[in-house]
């Protein structure tokens, strides 16, 4: 059994929804919340490279991965498979969206090549579309982390003394404690939440 740690946070979704609407209205570009989640995860891994790592069982040491290769968990008739978006941090939101859609379709049709689903440096499991608000995902060794994404929920907050509705989603990082400590996990979650709060900054970096 892996010595795992778990860190949960609420990531804001309002700005992501606004960005999706703006892209569709201005350019006819359709992207999903999950597309933005993948890009934010990749950028957060770039900012906190210690998360983009694995545990070398033979050497009993940490290996930092050079490439940010993000696996996306996809449910198929034959069970769960995790196609890989390679160098996800270097791709535009539109590129990521098209690639994720293509990988998911071919995964369900059992048409992926082995190199398209074997490997990767980090995994995302999004069950929000199935009505799950919060869950914990199992780490896929030798990767050191997996991010579990829940569905959006409305929260009421006081803003300037007035109750205001916001949409947030619960995000839980499961991490191998041999590679990732609580402080690093917190830094990653902080970076991810900040990118979801200000998703336009990711477009400006492209």
């Amino acid at each position: 059994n892996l010595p795992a740690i778990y860190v949960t946070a609420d990531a804001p979704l309002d700005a992501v929804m606004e960005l999706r609407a703006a892209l569709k209205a201005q350019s006819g570009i359709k992207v999903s919340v999950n597309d933005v989640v993948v890009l934010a995860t990749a950028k957060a891994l770039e900012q906190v490279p210690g998360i983009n790592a694995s545990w070398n069982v033979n050497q009993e040491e940490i290996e930092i991965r050079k490439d940010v290769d993000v696996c996306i968990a996809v449910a198929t008739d034959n069970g769960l498979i995790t196609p890989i978006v390679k160098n996800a941090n270097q791709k535009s939101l539109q590129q990521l969206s098209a690639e994720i859609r293509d990988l998911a379709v071919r995964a369900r049709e059992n048409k992926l090549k082995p190199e398209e689903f074997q490997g990767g440096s980090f995994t995302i499991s999004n069950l929000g579309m199935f009505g799950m608000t919060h869950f914990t995902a199992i780490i896929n060794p030798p990767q050191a982390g997996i991010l579990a994404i829940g569905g959006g929920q409305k929260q009421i907050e006081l803003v300037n003394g007035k109750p205001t509705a916001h949409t947030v989603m619960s995000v839980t990082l499961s991490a191998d404690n041999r590679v990732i400590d609580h402080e690093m996990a917190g830094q990653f979650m902080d970076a991810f939440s900040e990118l979801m709060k200000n998703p336009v900054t990711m477009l400006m970096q492209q």
Side-chain angles (χ1 to χ4, degrees), residues 6-50:
Y6 306 95
V7 179
T8 300
D10 283 336
L13 277 181
D14 291 338
V16 171
M17 306 305 276
E18 289 169 9
L19 174 64
R20 290 179 66 215
L23 287 173
K24 186 178 179 181
Q26 294 169 15
S27 314
I29 297 170
K30 293 181 180 179
V31 297
S32 68
V33 171
N34 194 58
D35 297 332
V36 182
V37 165
V38 174
L39 184 57
T41 300
K43 295 292 187 183
L45 290 169
E46 191 176 52
Q47 291 178 29
V48 190

Side-chain angles (χ1 to χ4, degrees), residues 65 68-74 81-88 91 99-100 103 106 112-123 143:
R65 307 289 292 272
V68 178
D69 296 336
V70 179
C71 301
I72 315 291
V74 176
I81 192 168
T82 51
I84 308 164
V85 181
K86 296 186 177 176
N87 298 304
K91 293 175 178 172
E99 189 171 338
I100 291 166
L103 286 168
R106 289 192 294 114
L112 291 177
K113 299 171 187 173
E115 61 268 24
E116 291 181 306
F117 64 88
Q118 293 175 359
S121 60
F122 189 86
T123 298
Q143 294 176 16

Side-chain angles (χ1 to χ4, degrees), residues 151-171:
Q153 291 181 294
K154 290 286 186 185
Q155 281 188 358
I156 304 297
E157 294 180 11
L158 284 177
V159 178
N160 298 324
K162 295 180 180 179
T164 307
H166 294 287
T167 305
V168 299
M169 65 181 186
S170 177
V171 183

